Amino acid sequence: MGCRVLSSPQPLDGLQVVGIPMRVSFRGITTREVALIEGPNGWGEWGPFLDYPPPEAARWLAAALEAAWGTWPAPVRHTVPVNATVPAIPADDVPAILTRFPGATTAKIKVAQPGQTLADDLDRVTAVRAALGPSARIRVDANGAWSLAEASEALTKLAAYDLEYAEQPCATVEDLAALRRDLARRRIDVPIAADESIRKADDPLRVRDLHAADLIVVKVAPLGGVAAALDIVAATGLPAVVSSALDTSIGIAAGVALAAALPKLEHACGLGTVGLFTGDVAASPLRPVAGELPVCRVAADPDLLTRWAAPPKRAAWWRERLTATWPHLPAAARALVGDRTSPRAD
Ligand SMILES: [Mg+2]
């Protein structure tokens, strides 16, 4: 039998690239570009950030193919609680952002933004606590930007705000583990969550092995799909919070499917993020109602795909990216679309 080597399979010829402006810059992004694809089982979203190399983008592609051609594990709940997300904005702008997350009783606040100070972080956290009240759960996310010493100082001060947890305060798994020991020794009660150390790591289980976190943040696309993410959660044995990666409603639906399939869900999830965009590809965007999202499938609306269509040059860039990414796609993912070739060994 002949073996057809595909640069990318024909079913993906229908890739639709959109660029949707953000209300507030996130990760330095003002317009979020993603590629969307419709398969026999629904729509999938492929939105690796522009600087991600092909092997990393391949995991995001596996998640998109799972959504469009595969199946998701069965849900054990029908709604998922979500948190508000507060970017690294001035404290005065906090109340306006929080209105985009009606009913949320948990807020995640970005801290350690380059160019800002710990005083800016403390002001922002103070503003969120004032707006949401004493019973709200407040977590911070440093995206690994603090050194061990900076994280130790910052969390010592932020502990006064009764934090639910601090997400990726330092970049390395070793520093997360050292920080946890330091905080425990000084009886500072701020649980540590690992995010980048799970989704961008070659071996997400090092977090477990080094006792580097109290819980983990998982995102469907960077981990290669709902089923793959569920496996990682089970392997770590740690509580998990599901978060988005600046997804449209189509990517968010996959995140909700993961959160709905977790055996235990003790924390609000970072999936109420479509309000950070000025628009969406779904006619009924997956926005939280009373702080919760429903488990459902989301389809792209043809008019909205046209409305937010990326310029032809950008669409061509994404097609080239697909071609460059395809050889790195795991065999199981490419088999979903009928490609029986093997992934590149490297
Ligand atoms: Mg994070």
Side-chain angles (χ1 to χ4, degrees):
M1 189 177 74
C3 181
R4 224 163 33 111
V5 178
L6 303 173
S7 59
S8 63
Q10 280 175 341
L12 271 67
D13 286 350
L15 203 71
Q16 308 247 9
V17 182
V18 294
I20 305 179
M22 307 286 301
R23 290 184 196 281
V24 179
S25 163
F26 230 91
R27 291 181 101 259
I29 294 167
T30 52
T31 295
R32 177 75 167 118
E33 279 183 2
V34 302
L36 302 163
I37 185 73
E38 186 178 20
N41 295 342
W43 283 84
E45 178 161 332
W46 185 48
F49 294 106
L50 303 187
D51 54 324
Y52 285 11
E56 195 169 1
R59 290 202 294 272
W60 295 59
L61 185 54
L65 298 183
E66 179 195 54
W69 274 267
T71 53
W72 286 329
V76 298
R77 56 188 68 79
H78 298 296
T79 60
V80 169
V82 298
N83 62 267
T85 302
V86 179
I89 52 172
D92 287 350
D93 297 343
V94 161
I97 278 283
L98 289 175
T99 61
R100 303 201 181 285
F101 301 94
T105 56
T106 300
K108 175 167 103 167
I109 305 166
K110 290 284 180 185
V111 292
Q113 179 84 357
Q116 296 188 6
T117 64
L118 180 54
D120 295 322
D121 295 338
L122 291 166
D123 286 350
R124 193 177 309 117
V125 173
T126 302
V128 174
R129 179 57 83 197
L132 292 183
S135 63
R137 291 193 192 187
I138 290 181
R139 57 184 77 154
V140 296
D141 185 358
N143 292 105
W146 281 322
S147 68
L148 180 54
E150 287 168 340
S152 183
E153 182 199 352
L155 295 186
T156 301
K157 290 186 174 157
L158 286 164
Y161 295 86
D162 188 22
L163 296 186
E164 181 187 27
Y165 59 78
E167 187 171 319
Q168 200 75 37
C170 304
T172 69
V173 179
E174 288 76 9
D175 278 354
L176 291 184
L179 178 64
R180 266 189 93 221
R181 290 193 298 270
D182 168 58
L183 295 175
R185 190 168 38 81
R186 296 190 293 118
R187 300 186 189 285
I188 291 169
D189 184 19
V190 179
I192 301 298
D195 177 11
E196 285 87 346
S197 287
I198 295 290
R199 71 183 152 88
K200 290 182 79 81
D202 292 334
D203 179 9
L205 299 186
R206 287 190 73 232
V207 167
R208 172 198 67 187
D209 297 343
L210 298 187
H211 306 286
D214 299 279
L215 67 160
I216 60 171
V217 178
V218 286
K219 302 183 182 184
V220 168
L223 294 175
V226 175
L230 266 186
D231 286 347
I232 287 171
V233 173
T236 62
L238 292 170
V241 180
V242 181
S243 200
S244 77
L246 289 189
D247 309 317
T248 74
S249 287
I250 290 172
I252 295 292
V256 173
L258 171 57
L262 286 171
K264 264 192 193 172
L265 185 64
E266 294 162 346
H267 302 273
C269 290
L271 295 167
T273 50
V274 295
L276 298 173
F277 292 96
T278 56
D280 199 354
V281 294
S284 299
L286 211 41
R287 292 177 189 277
V289 175
E292 297 197 322
L293 286 173
V295 179
C296 62
R297 278 275 180 179
V298 174
D301 179 89
D303 292 341
L304 290 170
L305 287 175
T306 304
R307 163 97 169 76
W308 299 115
K313 251 184 155 173
R314 295 304 305 155
W317 184 88
W318 277 88
R319 284 174 204 292
E320 279 175 30
R321 187 182 204 189
L322 178 65
T323 303
T325 301
W326 195 263
H328 299 271
L329 195 63
R334 63 182 67 205
L336 286 174
V337 292
D339 177 359
R340 303 282 165 199
T341 58
S342 299
R344 195 164 99 178
D346 60 7

